Amino acid sequence: MGDRQDLQDLLVSILESTNVYFQPPTNIQLSYPCIVYIKDKRDTEFAGNLPYKDVNGYQLTIIDHDPDSEIPDKIAKLPMCLFDRFFRADNLNHFVYNIFF
């Protein structure tokens, strides 16, 4: 796919805002709606005991006041992206996805 900056640019274009945060520190004030993402895992495939494919995995969390937000639907259409869970905290809706990019 691409590097992390390519993913950042893609998420900014989907959100139509710069409220996209990569592993934000705890002291940062988030603006909503937003996407928070962290490096989560790696998918490595081997052939002849050597890695030939190595892809980074990220956990994306869309945070929005609107429980019917259209942002999760846009994220769900990305290749190699799976819905993980939904939860509500601090009167905000959290939609969690995993993506390999």
Side-chain angles (χ1 to χ4, degrees):
M1 289 230 146
D3 63 13
R4 192 194 63 78
Q5 188 58 53
D6 292 335
L7 178 58
Q8 174 83 22
D9 295 342
L10 176 62
L11 296 175
V12 166
S13 70
I14 288 171
L15 188 61
E16 299 176 359
S17 165
T18 57
N19 296 341
V20 177
Y21 308 96
F22 176 65
Q23 297 181 184
T26 55
N27 64 344
I28 193 168
Q29 180 68 35
L30 301 178
S31 298
Y32 306 108
C34 71
I35 298 174
V36 175
Y37 68 109
I38 61 171
K39 194 175 242 185
D40 188 41
K41 53 186 93 172
R42 259 183 123 94
D43 183 29
T44 305
E45 294 184 21
F46 296 88
N49 293 329
L50 297 172
Y52 74 93
K53 179 182 171 191
D54 191 36
V55 182
N56 287 313
Y58 298 90
Q59 182 183 73
L60 311 176
T61 304
I62 299 101
I63 307 171
D64 198 342
H65 293 285
D66 182 5
D68 296 320
S69 174
E70 294 180 7
I71 301 164
D73 295 335
K74 294 176 183 179
I75 295 295
K77 292 179 183 173
L78 294 175
M80 301 292 291
C81 186
L82 293 170
F83 178 74
D84 186 17
R85 67 188 174 279
F86 170 85
F87 64 95
R88 187 156 167 80
D90 299 325
N91 290 322
L92 292 166
N93 300 285
H94 296 68
F95 305 84
V96 182
Y97 289 82
N98 294 306
I99 187 169
F100 286 99
F101 193 86

